[in-house]
Amino acid sequence: MFNINSTLSRRNFLAGAAALGSTAALAGCSSGGSDGGTADDGKTFKIGVIGPRTGAAATYGVSAEKGAKLAAKDFSTKDLKLSLKSEDDVADGEKAINAFNTLCDWGMQALVGPVTTGAAVAVSGEIADDMLMVTPSASSLDVTKDKTTVFQVCFTDPTMGASAAKFLAEKYADAKIALFYNSGDTYSSGVADAFAEQAKESKLDIVDTETFKDDSSTSFTNQLTKAKEAGATLIFAPIYYTPASVLLKNAKDMGYDMTLMGTDGMDGLLSVEGFDTSLAEGVLLMTPFSADDEKNADFVKAYKDAYDETPNQFAADAYDCVHAIVEAIDKADIDITADGADIAGDLAKAMRKIKIEGLTGELTWNDEGQVEKPATAYVIQDGKYIAA
C-alpha cells in the first residue's frame, strides 16, 4: 500500500506549502461543490463534505469546506491522492440526506460532515455502518449514538457544558452567573443542561436562568433586565454568534456591564456584519482553536493565502477531519479504490486506534466515536483570541 509517515506533521507540511506560495498550495482548487485536492484519475480516494453553504448557518459550512479543501491538498501524496466534493445542505436534515445520496452517486468513500447537529443526526441515521463519517462540529450525543462508523472531531454538548462550568469554578469562582440559552435548539439546550448539572456540583452561584427561541432572537432586553436585577456579573450563553452580537448590543444600550462566556458556536462573533467588535472585548469562549496562537501560524498563513480571510475553528475542525481520515486509511492499510461500504468497518476500527496532532489539539477517539482532547478557553482582547 502506501505510507504517510504515521502522525504526519501538518505544521511541517504547511510551512513548506507557505514557502511555495498560495498558487502552488491550492492549484486546481475551486469553489461551489467542485473537486478539491488532486484531479480525479480513477485512483483517488474520494471524500465528500456536507454542510450549509447558504442560509443562516452558511459561515459554518463555508469555513468547514475551505478547511477540508486545504487539507485535501496538504495530505495528498503520490500514493494517496485525495479528491474532495462538497454539497450544500442549508443546515436541513432532509437536504443533508439528499446531499449524502448525491455524494454516494459520485463515489464517495468517506464523509466529512454534516456540519450542523440536526443534519448530522439525519445522515448518521441513514449510514447504517456503510460509510465512515467524521463530523467537524455536530456535537449532540445522538450523532454517534449506536453507530460504529460515525465520529466527532468537536466536543459533545455535555463535555462542552461541563468543561465550561469547571473553567468558571477555577477562574471565576465568585461570579454570580446567569444561564442564557436557546430552548428550541438542541446544541444550545444540550450544553446548558450539562453546564447546569456541573455548576451545581462545582458549587457555582447561578442566580438566574433565561431562555429564548429563534423567533424571539432579535432582542434580549427582557432577559437581560432580569439577569441584571438578579445581580448576575457573568452570563454563560451557549448560543451562536449572531444572537450573541444582539445580546452584547442590548447589554450596552441598557448599561449592563457583565462578562459574557460562550462556547464554540459563538466563534465567528468578530465577523458579524455591522457588529461593533469593541463590544466583544473580554468575551470568554470555550473553543479548541485560535488563529492568534503561534502554534497555528503556518495553517493560518496557508488559509489566508488561499482564501484571503482568517480561519475559524470550523475550518480547523474540518482540516482535522481530513487529517484523521488519512491517518485511518494508513492504519487500516486498505485498498484506496474500494467502495466506501466495503472499507467503512476497517476505517472505523482504525479511527479508534490512531492519535493525531491536530490543529484543535491531540485527538483520539473512544468506542462511542467521541473525540478526546484537551478543553481550551480563550478571551477576546483587542480583536484577538488570547488563552484565558
Side-chain angles (χ1 to χ4, degrees):
M1 294 295 170
F2 66 94
N3 192 304
I4 57 169
N5 297 321
S6 192
T7 316
L8 175 66
S9 170
R10 43 94 184 166
R11 294 192 186 103
N12 289 345
F13 184 96
L14 284 165
L20 291 173
S22 62
T23 302
L26 279 179
C29 184
S30 58
S31 60
S34 58
D35 288 351
T38 63
D40 182 3
D41 61 3
K43 296 180 181 180
T44 61
F45 188 87
K46 295 183 175 182
I47 299 175
V49 179
I50 298 176
R53 300 207 310 265
T54 58
T59 188
Y60 302 124
V62 170
S63 294
E65 178 189 21
K66 290 176 177 177
K69 282 186 174 181
L70 185 57
K73 298 296 294 186
D74 288 353
F75 290 107
S76 285
T77 67
K78 177 178 62 123
D79 296 311
L80 176 64
K81 299 176 182 179
L82 301 176
S83 181
L84 186 144
K85 184 177 178 63
S86 60
E87 291 290 332
D88 183 9
D89 66 5
V90 202
D92 176 82
E94 184 176 350
K95 289 182 172 62
I97 291 174
N98 292 337
F100 176 76
N101 290 330
T102 297
L103 290 171
C104 285
D105 291 341
W106 169 66
M108 174 175 62
Q109 295 163 284
L111 171 63
V112 171
V115 170
T116 56
T117 291
V121 171
V123 170
S124 68
E126 293 290 310
I127 283 178
D129 300 332
D130 286 336
M131 182 68 62
L132 176 67
M133 169 178 155
V134 188
T135 174
S137 48
S139 52
S140 170
L141 291 174
D142 291 335
V143 174
T144 63
K145 185 178 180 181
D146 300 326
K147 311 295 190 307
T148 61
T149 63
V150 179
F151 298 83
Q152 292 162 310
V153 160
C154 60
F155 287 121
T156 63
D157 295 341
T159 299
M160 275 191 285
S163 295
K166 290 176 182 177
F167 169 81
L168 290 179
E170 180 181 351
K171 302 283 189 177
Y172 294 82
D174 296 331
K176 294 186 180 300
I177 302 169
L179 176 57
F180 181 87
Y181 66 97
N182 184 342
S183 59
D185 178 70
T186 302
Y187 161 76
S188 186
S189 58
V191 176
D193 288 345
F195 176 85
E197 183 177 348
Q198 182 61 48
K200 184 177 181 180
E201 183 176 331
S202 298
K203 296 181 170 54
L204 292 175
D205 188 8
I206 307 297
V207 298
D208 186 41
T209 298
E210 300 294 334
T211 65
F212 71 98
K213 291 187 177 180
D214 288 336
D215 59 2
S216 61
S217 60
T218 56
S219 175
F220 302 123
T221 301
N222 290 338
Q223 293 96 326
L224 288 171
T225 297
K226 293 177 184 178
K228 185 177 182 181
E229 290 175 349
T233 58
L234 185 147
I235 295 178
F236 176 67
I239 59 177
Y240 296 112
Y241 58 86
T242 300
S245 68
V246 175
L247 186 153
L248 288 166
K249 175 67 163 56
N250 290 162
K252 178 190 178 184
D253 290 345
M254 60 186 287
Y256 183 14
D257 184 18
M258 53 77 195
T259 297
L260 177 65
M261 180 176 183
T263 47
D264 56 359
M266 202 177 288
D267 194 10
L269 177 64
L270 297 177
S271 63
V272 174
E273 186 175 356
F275 175 63
D276 178 1
T277 56
S278 68
L279 299 180
E281 187 73 10
V283 168
L284 296 164
L285 288 174
M286 293 294 299
T287 182
F289 173 80
S290 167
D292 300 306
D293 194 322
E294 182 60 30
K295 70 182 181 182
N296 297 321
D298 292 333
F299 169 72
V300 172
K301 183 180 187 310
Y303 193 95
K304 285 182 174 179
D305 287 346
Y307 306 118
D308 195 29
E309 63 188 36
T310 302
N312 58 22
Q313 72 142 91
F314 299 94
D317 281 336
Y319 189 98
D320 282 352
C321 286
V322 175
H323 186 174
I325 290 169
V326 169
E327 291 284 357
I329 292 169
D330 186 48
K331 185 74 172 179
D333 196 31
I334 59 167
D335 175 2
I336 63 171
T337 66
D339 187 83
D342 294 334
I343 57 178
D346 289 337
L347 289 175
K349 290 177 183 177
M351 284 287 296
R352 293 178 171 87
K353 297 177 182 178
I354 63 173
K355 177 190 293 185
I356 70 167
E357 285 288 341
L359 293 167
T360 63
E362 184 179 87
L363 286 67
T364 60
W365 286 267
N366 61 25
D367 289 343
E368 287 72 41
Q370 300 160 0
V371 75
E372 295 182 347
K373 60 183 177 181
T376 52
Y378 294 91
V379 59
I380 298 177
Q381 294 179 356
D382 296 323
K384 295 183 177 182
Y385 285 19
I386 308 299

